[in-house]
Amino acid sequence: MEAQIQSSGSMGSVDAEYVNTAFDLIQLDHQEGQLAATKTKDPRIIDLSSKIIAQADALSPGLQAAANVEGIKAPTILTPDLAARVARLQNLSGRDFDRQYVADELALHKRAVAVFGKEDSSTKDAALRTQVETELPAVQGNLDSLTVLSSEYNPTATSS
């Protein structure tokens, strides 16, 4: 199992960064969302994590198809830093869990919006452009929702 994509060579570095980030987002959303379903009592986090998981499920087949066209072997495991985030979350509960869940998801969604935007403006690959144009609004919407939650759970993180 690979932690980063392996390309047949026709994919540019921006495309590879997009595919890696998208697969990281899908995997982290699933793992942290499953934890949120059992560890939080905040209905806003439960609802948002369910929505994010559903969007990740919708993103995955199209992204995998685009990756297959390019001969890309997509990552199947989380990168070590993201796996460490999930492990840390497993040991938290209550408001501590909520705070860390929101912070983790906010950070990854910020990164994803930036990378997806860069991909949208620079890719020459039609399949990847279609994929990013379809998914960027949903990822941005999740970022907006996470920013609102972060202002409550991590007020210093959103004040900058």
Side-chain angles (χ1 to χ4, degrees):
M1 293 196 282
E2 301 295 320
Q4 297 289 307
I5 65 159
Q6 294 178 347
S7 172
S8 62
S10 64
M11 175 180 279
S13 63
V14 173
D15 294 337
E17 182 182 18
Y18 163 70
V19 172
N20 275 322
T21 300
F23 277 110
D24 285 347
L25 184 66
I26 290 167
Q27 292 180 29
L28 187 71
D29 286 347
H30 266 277
Q31 291 186 33
E32 288 194 345
Q34 290 169 350
L35 289 172
T38 61
K39 288 190 166 269
T40 187
K41 302 271 191 258
D42 187 330
R44 299 168 301 170
I45 292 177
I46 293 168
D47 291 345
L48 183 58
S49 67
S50 295
K51 176 183 159 192
I52 289 172
I53 287 172
Q55 289 170 343
D57 288 344
L59 170 62
S60 188
L63 184 63
Q64 187 63 59
N68 289 343
V69 166
E70 290 295 323
I72 298 166
K73 180 175 172 46
T76 57
I77 60 172
L78 284 174
T79 59
D81 63 313
L82 296 180
R85 289 184 193 185
V86 172
R88 185 173 50 244
L89 267 183
Q90 289 172 329
N91 295 319
L92 298 174
S93 60
R95 192 156 175 91
D96 290 336
F97 173 87
D98 296 344
R99 185 178 299 112
Q100 191 62 53
Y101 170 82
V102 170
D104 285 357
E105 288 289 322
L106 181 69
L108 188 58
H109 279 77
K110 281 182 179 178
R111 178 175 165 241
V113 165
V115 170
F116 285 29
K118 186 164 77 173
E119 176 70 7
D120 188 36
S121 66
S122 66
T123 189
K124 294 178 180 19
D125 184 292
L128 291 175
R129 180 176 305 282
T130 299
Q131 186 67 36
V132 76
E133 287 174 350
T134 301
E135 296 305 325
L136 184 55
V139 175
Q140 180 65 58
N142 292 338
L143 175 58
D144 295 344
S145 296
L146 288 159
T147 300
V148 169
L149 284 172
S150 183
S151 68
E152 176 183 334
Y153 282 105
N154 302 296
T156 58
T158 57
S159 63
S160 55

